[in-house]
Amino acid sequence: MLELNWHDNLVIVSFVAAIAGLVVLSDNASSDGADDSLGDSFAARTLSEEILIKMSFTYWIVYCISVFGLKLHLPEDSWLLLSLKLTTVLSYLLTASSILSLPLQRMAVRQVEE
């Protein structure tokens, strides 16, 4: 039986929230459809923002899965343990970079429009 501490419980909750976020984003994308009354720049901006948000949710799901993969009792010299550690670090960094890219992308679009 695995012992779960407060960090593990927080990761479980955030894992479920990330899945719910992806479901909500996919429902909004399918129900919105293509609206031709909006400008092309606005549609491109919202599409790129939506992609960045989906990327951050997806990377966070990978992070949560790899954190719980590290809870498995694997030998220290196992290649699987090393790959799980690497996946955890990379997915965490990719999540952070996706989240940080969103306001930077908004500023870049705003400068192009002006």
Side-chain angles (χ1 to χ4, degrees), residues 25-33:
L25 282 175
S26 66
D27 285 347
N28 284 344
S30 64
S31 67
D32 286 346

Side-chain angles (χ1 to χ4, degrees), residues 10-85:
L10 188 65
V11 170
I12 290 171
V13 169
S14 67
F15 176 74
V16 172
I19 291 175
L22 280 177
V23 168
V24 166
L25 282 175
S26 66
D27 285 347
N28 284 344
S30 64
S31 67
D32 286 346
D35 191 4
D36 293 332
S37 64
L38 298 175
D40 289 335
S41 64
F42 179 76
R45 179 179 56 172
T46 56
L47 180 63
S48 61
E49 289 175 2
E50 184 177 329
I51 288 172
L52 279 172
I53 294 171
K54 283 182 180 180
M55 284 171 46
S56 63
F57 282 147
T58 305
Y59 291 143
W60 190 252
I61 290 171
V62 171
Y63 171 77
C64 294
I65 291 170
S66 61
V67 163
F68 285 112
L70 289 173
K71 293 285 182 183
L72 300 174
H73 297 290
L74 299 171
E76 283 297 319
D77 57 348
S78 172
W79 62 271
L80 183 59
L81 182 66
L82 182 62
S83 66
L84 279 173
K85 287 180 180 179

